[in-house]
Amino acid sequence: MRKPCNFTLYYPLFVTFMIMFVVVNSQLTTDFYAKTCPNVLKVVRKEVQNAIKNEMRMAASLLRLHFHDCFVNGCDGSLLLDGNSTTSEKFAAGNINSARGFEVIDNIKKAVEDACSGVVSCADILAIAARDAVLLSGGPTWKVRLGRRDGLVGNISGANSGLPAPFHSRDTIISMFQDVGLNVTDVVSLSGAHTIGLAKCATFDNRLTNFNGSGEPDTTLDTALVTELQNLCPSTSDGNNTAPLDRNSTDLFDNHYFKNLINQRGLLESDQILFSSNDAIATTKTLVEIYSNSSSVFFSDFVNSMIKMGNISPLTGSNGEIRKNCRVIN
């Protein structure tokens, strides 16, 4: 006679299986909207194309929004929430008068809502728009993993403490990346996003005179470039003039940014420190050299790092919500 199943014996295995199923089932997937919003990628691509056609700089701005969103509370669209100086991440030091492209995200969200209302999160829109911004600037493409939901609160204190700044040391930046599960390779490859875009004088003019109290400009900055930037950013200016992050390749997503670092033409202190600072560790310097010689290696590492960054603490399942308007919770 067949013995009855010992449920007590198998129950722990059943629970373990169910937990594993829930964890796996809640992960982001590339086909998340295949049935619920099959044209979402086309809709977002069209809006990003229009935005970049109107202003090339917008590609870098959209990419930066995704980065600044993921580093605070994870990739939950919390950066997009409006509010005041005590609630909204838009007022954090790394975002105020700096983060831009919110109107473009509004336009994308409206177009997506017209195609499939209440289905696609603002956090996922940021991830797709960032990929498209890179691709449309001549960079690599990748399949974006989707299924994020939108957060319900902003975190301005987290934004003030967790976003890397142009004045941070290499060790501080590496530590900030490690805090969100990223490594040194991610630091260097994602810094390569500065192959497109502009920066205000206020983010680099500390390098032009009396750098770190030395009475002289930053010695790791090319002398001819120092003169050029001093003319662009006189001490009497308001700091709002802009310079290209990747000189001589401003709008093209390529590996030229790393060539500039080797030639001491990195605009931001936090960029140049990856290669020529006295405390630059061998790993960052070696990666700069590798990427400067091979765009394919840079592109491959950049894609891997973008996918990793896009997977930082996403809200999935029943957590969060799908915002109707990216600027406010439902």
Side-chain angles (χ1 to χ4, degrees):
M1 180 177 178
R2 187 176 182 181
K3 293 183 179 181
C5 176
N6 188 335
F7 186 75
T8 302
L9 175 65
Y10 288 101
Y11 180 73
L13 296 175
F14 173 77
V15 172
T16 300
F17 171 78
M18 289 306 296
I19 291 174
M20 290 177 62
F21 175 79
V22 171
V23 171
V24 172
N25 197 46
S26 67
Q27 296 305 301
L28 308 181
T29 62
T30 58
D31 60 351
F32 187 82
Y33 298 112
K35 294 182 179 180
T36 56
C37 193
N39 292 322
V40 61
L41 297 180
K42 293 180 180 179
V43 173
V44 175
R45 176 72 58 83
K46 180 180 179 181
E47 294 299 323
V48 174
Q49 282 179 320
N50 290 339
I52 295 176
K53 183 178 180 180
N54 184 57
E55 182 192 17
M56 281 299 298
R57 182 188 178 189
M58 189 53 64
S61 299
L62 293 174
L63 178 55
R64 189 164 180 259
L65 284 182
H66 182 44
F67 178 94
H68 280 217
D69 180 47
C70 289
F71 263 65
V72 183
N73 282 6
C75 307
D76 67 345
S78 57
L79 171 59
L80 304 176
L81 290 171
D82 284 341
N84 56 44
S85 59
T86 63
T87 61
S88 174
E89 293 171 26
K90 293 178 180 180
F91 288 87
N95 293 325
I96 191 168
N97 298 321
S98 175
R100 58 197 300 276
F102 298 109
E103 295 79 8
V104 174
I105 299 299
D106 291 340
N107 292 339
I108 297 174
K109 179 62 172 175
K110 182 181 183 304
V112 170
E113 285 294 303
D114 288 344
C116 39
S117 180
V119 173
V120 181
S121 68
C122 299
D124 275 349
I125 286 174
L126 283 176
I128 300 168
R131 187 275 310 272
D132 288 350
V134 171
L135 174 63
L136 294 172
S137 299
T141 188
W142 61 94
K143 291 185 177 182
V144 181
R145 297 178 184 180
L146 303 167
R148 302 167 189 81
R149 289 170 65 84
D150 296 320
L152 302 176
V153 294
N155 183 0
I156 187 169
S157 62
N160 279 323
S161 63
L163 291 176
F167 318 107
H168 281 150
S169 69
R170 179 219 65 216
D171 289 345
T172 297
I173 293 172
I174 290 175
S175 178
M176 287 178 164
F177 273 65
Q178 290 174 336
D179 286 345
V180 293
L182 302 178
N183 59 31
V184 174
T185 298
D186 301 317
V187 171
V188 182
S189 64
L190 291 176
S191 293
H194 287 170
T195 182
I196 54 176
L198 307 173
K200 291 184 178 181
C201 290
T203 63
F204 60 82
D205 59 8
N206 66 305
R207 304 182 70 198
L208 306 181
T209 57
N210 195 30
F211 179 65
N212 288 342
S214 66
E216 301 292 337
D218 185 349
T219 57
T220 67
L221 186 59
D222 175 72
T223 54
L225 182 55
V226 168
T227 301
E228 183 180 336
L229 293 175
Q230 286 174 337
N231 291 330
L232 176 69
C233 310
S235 59
T236 56
S237 73
D238 60 7
N240 286 325
N241 288 343
T242 59
L245 286 162
D246 185 7
R247 308 189 75 77
N248 301 321
S249 182
T250 305
D251 298 318
L252 180 63
F253 197 101
D254 56 16
N255 67 335
H256 189 266
Y257 158 86
F258 297 103
K259 299 178 187 294
N260 275 340
L261 298 189
I262 291 175
N263 293 315
Q264 295 188 308
R265 295 177 69 82
L267 185 65
L268 304 181
E269 179 184 353
S270 57
D271 287 334
Q272 193 62 50
I273 203 172
L274 297 175
F275 180 77
S276 58
S277 172
N278 290 333
D279 66 350
I281 57 177
T283 303
T284 62
K285 186 172 184 176
T286 299
L287 284 169
V288 169
E289 292 172 334
I290 291 172
Y291 295 159
S292 72
N293 289 318
S294 175
S295 58
S296 61
V297 175
F298 164 48
F299 282 6
S300 177
D301 282 0
F302 179 82
V303 166
N304 289 335
S305 295
M306 285 295 291
I307 292 172
K308 284 176 64 178
M309 185 184 76
N311 202 39
I312 296 174
S313 303
L315 297 175
T316 58
S318 60
N319 295 316
E321 65 179 11
I322 304 299
R323 281 185 223 140
K324 298 177 182 178
N325 178 343
C326 290
R327 292 176 179 266
V328 295
I329 62 173
N330 294 341

